[in-house]
Amino acid sequence: MMPGLRLLCWALLLGLAQGCPEPCDCGEKYGFQIADCAYRDLEAVPPGFPANVTTLSLSANRLPGLPTRAFREVPLLQSLWLAHNEIRKVAEGALASLGHLKSLDLSHNLISDFAWRDLHNLSALQLLKMDSNELTFIPRDAFRSLRALRSLQLNHNRLHTLAEGTFAPLTALSHLQINDNPFDCNCGLVWLKTWALATAVSIPEQDNVACTSPHVLKGTPLSRLPPLPCSAPSVQLSYQPSQDGAELRPGFVLALHCNVDGQPAPQLHWHIQTPGGTVEIASPNVGADGHILPGAPAVPGGRPRFQAFANGSLLIPDFGKLEEGTYSCLATNELGGAESSVNVALATTGEGGEDALGRRFHGKAVEGKGCYTVDNEVQPSGPEDNVVIIYLSRAGSSEAAVVGEGASGQQCLGLVLVLAQSLFLLSIPF
């Protein structure tokens, strides 16, 4: 016997054997097995439903929430009505077992915490009413499995934005209500205007799909939103003079700078892959007063290993073998992301070798200079100079950036000079 037919027979037999929760009325109407528990002043989902119930109404009660497996007794449920309760939280797993569900009404509650992943199992759903709640956020993939959904109501919530592509999986959608939400009309919401003007989906009350912020746009319908100066992030690793207010310790420092552009201002993040593992740094990790913020990686003794500043600079005091690797800066805003990387390795004297990442490099000591050649380019430094020269190359190229140590004891890296605790910019283009 096929599994689906076996489940149906089991449910029908069990349904005949079971009664009905005392507060509810159960029976057949228009070919549907209905359990009516509306207007019963219930504070919890009652147990004891027949397993063959296909329509369950719990509207206009006092339910404060829906716990995990709240509807495990009714696996064949097709319609579930829960409007006008006091539901604040729908726990993960509360709805996930209802694979046959076609209509779900959760409107007129107080829902702020919802198990969005449960919707991934409800591929048969055609009507979803979540209006008049306290929702502030909808994950981008919340509706990824709802290809049969025809009507979606999200109006009268507290949604400030919607991620681009939120409605893309809803290929059968014909009716959408998103009015009366406090939308923040910034660059992250421009896509919704474009989509709403182009889609064949009916969106009623469009004059009430309006901006609440910023103040200059308050009350402006999204359909009449003026052009905004928006751009996706772009990044480039470059180099700048010493940081204002940042004290550099005596010795050599690897200094990188991530030039970031975009509107709205992108968030910057550093991803560092070293022989010892991966380091993730949300920039900045150094405060305006120069103190290291909590959570910054440190070397033994408590000194910071990596210093990420708000202006995009990254300093590595006392760069050594443990700091070799790939340094990537990543920038993201509402419109997307961008990344740029360099490889940095510490070289040894001689005619060449391998860096810590296993890449071959070619270099040789230059007599009397104390630096090494990289691709036939030499940056000299005399024994009297306290100089670090940093050679950098793009990640993915055949060469690594090389940090050399000369015969006179000074180190050589390319593009950035550290001299007497000051950084000087070399005009060497990428």
Side-chain angles (χ1 to χ4, degrees), residues 200-217:
V201 175
S202 172
I203 306 176
E205 299 190 53
Q206 291 205 23
D207 282 349
N208 291 327
V209 183
C211 308
T212 298
S213 61
H215 183 74
V216 68
L217 295 174

Side-chain angles (χ1 to χ4, degrees), residues 66 71 80 82 87-96 101 104-107 109-120 122 125 128-130 133-139 142-143 146 152 154 157:
L66 298 178
F71 303 103
L80 178 58
L82 291 157
I87 300 171
R88 296 180 181 273
K89 178 178 180 179
V90 178
E92 188 169 351
L95 304 170
L101 198 65
L104 174 60
D105 185 358
L106 288 162
S107 64
N109 277 283
L110 301 169
I111 299 172
S112 60
D113 187 353
F114 184 76
W116 293 104
R117 284 191 291 184
D118 278 19
L119 295 182
H120 298 172
L122 308 187
L125 201 63
L128 177 57
K129 298 180 66 175
M130 301 188 72
N133 276 286
E134 302 290 326
L135 298 173
T136 60
F137 172 73
I138 298 177
F143 308 129
L146 305 186
L152 174 61
L154 297 168
N157 274 283

Side-chain angles (χ1 to χ4, degrees), residues 380-403:
S381 63
E384 72 281 5
D385 294 332
N386 181 19
V387 173
V388 177
I389 302 176
I390 306 167
Y391 287 89
L392 298 175
S393 65
R394 295 290 184 188
S397 65
S398 59
E399 301 85 12
V402 177
V403 179

Side-chain angles (χ1 to χ4, degrees), residues 22 83 88 105 113 152 159 174 200 291 296 303 312 350:
E22 183 177 347
R88 296 180 181 273
D105 185 358
D113 187 353
L152 174 61
L159 299 172
S174 60
H291 288 85
R303 292 185 294 109

Side-chain angles (χ1 to χ4, degrees), residues 202-417:
S202 172
I203 306 176
E205 299 190 53
Q206 291 205 23
D207 282 349
N208 291 327
V209 183
C211 308
T212 298
S213 61
H215 183 74
V216 68
L217 295 174
K218 186 174 183 179
T220 302
L222 189 64
S223 60
R224 297 197 288 274
L225 186 66
L228 299 178
C230 303
S231 61
S234 63
V235 298
Q236 184 180 12
L237 282 174
S238 59
Y239 316 91
Q240 70 172 37
S242 70
Q243 311 297 321
D244 293 336
E247 292 187 2
L248 300 179
R249 295 184 61 259
F252 301 115
V253 178
L254 171 61
L256 305 177
H257 183 73
C258 189
N259 291 313
V260 179
D261 193 17
Q263 183 64 31
Q267 293 184 335
L268 182 60
H269 177 87
W270 289 92
H271 174 91
I272 305 170
Q273 185 65 52
T274 68
T278 300
V279 179
E280 304 285 349
I281 301 175
S283 183
N285 68 357
V286 177
D289 57 0
H291 288 85
I292 302 300
L293 301 179
V299 296
R303 292 185 294 109
R305 186 181 181 191
F306 304 104
Q307 298 181 18
F309 293 83
N311 64 357
S313 293
L314 179 71
L315 302 185
I316 304 93
D318 296 325
F319 184 90
K321 295 291 288 185
L322 294 178
E323 286 71 47
E324 292 182 329
T326 301
Y327 288 72
S328 303
C329 71
L330 304 91
T332 57
N333 67 10
E334 289 91 336
L335 301 181
E339 175 181 351
S340 185
S341 302
V342 294
N343 300 316
V344 183
L346 184 67
T348 58
T349 59
E351 296 295 329
E354 285 189 356
D355 66 19
L357 301 178
R359 291 179 291 260
R360 294 290 301 177
F361 64 86
H362 300 282
K364 62 179 180 180
V366 180
E367 185 176 355
K369 297 297 183 182
C371 288
Y372 295 93
T373 60
V374 177
D375 295 337
N376 298 318
E377 293 184 12
V378 177
Q379 292 294 330
S381 63
E384 72 281 5
D385 294 332
N386 181 19
V387 173
V388 177
I389 302 176
I390 306 167
Y391 287 89
L392 298 175
S393 65
R394 295 290 184 188
S397 65
S398 59
E399 301 85 12
V402 177
V403 179
E405 183 168 319
S408 61
Q410 71 270 21
Q411 292 181 325
C412 301
L413 295 175
L415 294 187
V416 178
L417 300 181

